[in-house]
């Protein structure tokens, strides 16, 4: 019998596929990449048509030897690496490393690891798609040029082994810009007014919100303005001006893409993007399910498409009809429309087997695997179900001058909500009495006024950053998680309670990148580069043309930055802090988390201390010195030198100037000085530095 060899990426996938193909097939894993650019050098010949120099990855020699033995035994070889650009490139590298050019070799891909999908893939075997390979090569070479050319500049400037990246530097800038926007934000006061309205014959009051006049919504900006309105309302007569009842529908959500899965898993399961992808990879490659053996539970996890196969639609239709009824079946599921270009190479993320409900596989999965599989299964089933229907009621309550409004909503038909609900869907909606009629007199009680202050934009979370990167066209499904984990691991960004903050180190790196390499951190430029990579994949642009057009500008920017940096001498800042071990004056150094004090006698003396930079402002609580500190995650803040006896702290830098209205500290917010007491609300322009 002819011997067939199938090479996949992971051992778990090999186990699952071997079960489907039987004894005439040998399935073996390459454990990911086998060749790459060398770490010790650029690895790209910029003087010879940007030819990359690939080498065998250290530690893969023994594995390649094993693969070569299996290749010799085989009559037919199938390269079954992941169905994306990177997977295509891995197959291409295997062709070279295993010398398969003259062997009977084909490329196969499948979106789900099921028996039908794998056998169908073998029937549709094809040559390696060189356009996909070239698109991946272009990305790899671009990233290598940016990283290896710019990183030495950062090293020279900041004096540490820092690094830059084509996509990570843009992500850092996006987070940094948001932090700056938050720091410069000035809160504004506003007030809201609610009242309980009673109607004859009704015991339960109707709570309504102040809207404004009959024709215009009002924003109440001061307590004085509020008191004038309340005084007017206490003398007024109220009546129901209008009662409007209607029906609205809420369409089912689309099935998951990589981006939306990462966002929803972060919001509902508190998973990082990296954790979500790791768990999804395991569910895709195969897990051992009781009674079924090793099977892949979900389709391929790196996708930007909401497309679903006809086979999956039919299976979902049968399941919904049988378990929920015909009325729960969607009439027609429209696929996601988007103004941006998507690759649409794969289906959306969905269960491989519709009949395997979360309850059936729960015992075979660990807690996190189960929670993620349940999320994917429910989202997909919901996407194929009918819209939810709501009955809504809105009421307008008027005086001769002002208007209050109230609204209620209740579910008339659950539709997809029977299977899947977001946090928004779970919010309890208030109900209104059915007896409220137009023209009815109302009596107002409990006029409740509340003071509020406008809030700055929210700090990015991993979920909101992924959403922003996708909307801007930066990166692709396979790059979101590694981009975020890279900037966190390099201490450019700190993650605290889900929120992302730029560290002092990140601010330094971002500042240099914006000044010396503005195009690299330009959002539009990076998005356009992603578009060019898509053109390489389409075969309309040669990959080396992309590099040829990019490299001269990069080289020029690096040369200019190096010349400017040669004129800058960055000496260690000597402090008056004495090293208690050797008596030298300690100096300020940069570390992964920012500045610290170190003995200049290194390596003979290795003494270090935290660096607390005095800012020349007294603590408002105890009169001690306020100093700049770093949180454990590397975020800068200002606190009292006498901590822990005094726990005063603020994220904004305090000013030496006191508030002329209340005498409290003023905080620096961009170009303004703002009283730290929001009730005071005093603001003035920050003096220009001389």
């Amino acid at each position: 019998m002819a011997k067939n060899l199938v090479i996949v990426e992971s051992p778990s996938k090999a186990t699952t596929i071997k079960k489907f193909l039987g004894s005439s097939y040998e399935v073996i894993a390459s454990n990911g990449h086998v060749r790459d650019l060398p770490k010790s050098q650029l690895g790209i010949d910029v003087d010879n048509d940007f030819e990359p120099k690939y080498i065998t990855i250290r530690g893969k020699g023994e594995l390649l030897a094993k693969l070569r033995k299996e290749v010799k035994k085989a009559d037919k070889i199938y390269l079954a690496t992941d169905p994306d650009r990177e997977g295509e490139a891995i197959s291409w590298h295997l062709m070279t490393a295993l010398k398969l050019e003259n062997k009977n070799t084909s490329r196969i891909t499948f979106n789900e690891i099921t028996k039908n999908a794998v056998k169908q893939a073998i029937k549709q075997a094809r040559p390696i798609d060189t356009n996909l390979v070239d698109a991946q090569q272009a990305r790899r070479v671009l990233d290598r040029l940016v990283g290896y050319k710019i990183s030495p500049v950062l090293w020279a400037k900041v004096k540490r082994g820092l690094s830059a990246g084509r996509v990570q530097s843009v992500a850092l800038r996006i987070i940094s810009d948001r932090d700056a926007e938050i720091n410069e934000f000035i809160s504004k006061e506003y007030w809201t007014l609610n009242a309980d309205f009673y109607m004859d014959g009704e015991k339960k009051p109707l709570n309504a919100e102040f809207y404004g006049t009959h024709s215009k919504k009002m924003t109440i900006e001061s307590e004085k303005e509020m008191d004038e309105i309340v005084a007017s309302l206490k003398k007024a007569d109220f009546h129901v001006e209008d009662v409007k009842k209607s029906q609205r529908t809420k369409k089912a959500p689309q099935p998951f893409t990589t981006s939306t899965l990462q966002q929803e898993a972060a919001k509902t399961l508190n998973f990082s993007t990296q954790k979500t992808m790791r768990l999804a990879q395991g569910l895709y490659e195969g897990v051992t399910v009781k009674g079924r053996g090793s099977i892949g539970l979900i389709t391929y996890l790196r996708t930007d498409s909401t497309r679903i196969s006809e086979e999956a639609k039919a299976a979902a239709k049968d399941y919904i009809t049988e378990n929920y009824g015909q009325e729960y079946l969607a009439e027609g599921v429209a696929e996601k429309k988007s103004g941006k270009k998507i690759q649409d190479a794969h289906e959306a993320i969905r269960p491989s087997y519709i009949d395997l409900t979360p309850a059936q596989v729960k015992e075979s999965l660990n807690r996190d695997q189960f929670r993620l599989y349940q999320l994917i299964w429910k989202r997909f089933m919901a996407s194929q179900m009918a819209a939810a229907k709501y009955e809504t009621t809105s009421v307008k309550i008027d005086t001769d001058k002002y208007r209050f409004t109230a609204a209620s909503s209740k579910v008339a038909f659950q539709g997809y909500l029977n299977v899947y609900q977001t946090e928004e869907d779970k919010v309890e909606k208030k109900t209104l009495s059915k007896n409220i009629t137009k023209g009815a007199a109302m009596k107002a009680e409990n006029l409740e006024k509340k003071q509020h202050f406008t809030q700055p934009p929210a700090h990015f979370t991993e979920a909101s950053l992924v959403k922003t990167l996708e909307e801007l066209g930066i990166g692709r499904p396979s790059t979101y998680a590694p981009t975020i984990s890279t900037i966190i691991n390099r201490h450019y960004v700190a993650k605290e309670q889900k929120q992302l903050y730029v560290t002092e180190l990140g601010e330094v790196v971002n500042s240099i990148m914006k000044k010396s390499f503005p195009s690299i951190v330009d959002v539009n430029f990076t998005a356009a580069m992603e578009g060019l990579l898509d053109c390489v994949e389409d075969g309309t642009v040669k990959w080396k043309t992309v590099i040829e057009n990019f490299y001269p500008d990069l080289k020029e920017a690096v040369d200019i930055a190096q010349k400017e940096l040669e004129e800058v001498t960055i000496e260690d800042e000597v402090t008056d802090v004495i090293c208690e071990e050797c008596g030298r004056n300690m100096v300020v150094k940069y570390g992964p988390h920012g500045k610290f004090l170190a003995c200049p006698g290194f390596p003979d003396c290795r003494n270090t201390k935290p660096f607390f930079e005095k800012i020349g402002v007294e603590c408002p609580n105890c009169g001690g010195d306020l100093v700049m500190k770093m949180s454990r995650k590397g975020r800068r803040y200002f606190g009292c030198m006498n901590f822990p006896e005094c726990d005063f702290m603020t994220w904004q830098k305090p000013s030496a100037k006191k508030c002329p209205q209340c005498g409290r500290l003023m905080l620096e917010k961009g170009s303004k000085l703002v009283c730290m007491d929001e009730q005071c609300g005093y603001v003035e322009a920050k003096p220009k530095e001389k």
Side-chain angles (χ1 to χ4, degrees), residues 33 35 296 386 546 610:
H33 288 272
R35 295 201 313 162
V546 175

Side-chain angles (χ1 to χ4, degrees), residues 190-195 210 220 222-231 234 446-452:
Y190 71 98
W191 291 72
T192 57
L193 178 64
N194 281 50
F210 179 79
I220 305 172
S222 68
E223 188 172 17
K224 180 183 177 184
E225 187 181 355
M226 171 61 79
D227 289 342
E228 290 173 358
I229 292 171
V230 170
K234 284 181 177 178
N446 303 325
L447 289 167
E448 184 184 11
K449 56 183 185 179
K450 285 185 179 179
Q451 183 186 36
H452 308 271

Side-chain angles (χ1 to χ4, degrees), residues 3-24:
K3 181 81 170 179
N4 300 289
L5 176 65
V6 179
I7 303 177
V8 296
E9 285 186 46
S10 75
S12 58
K13 193 190 293 187
T15 303
T16 308
I17 293 172
K18 172 66 177 169
K19 185 186 71 171
F20 299 145
L21 294 178
S23 59
S24 62

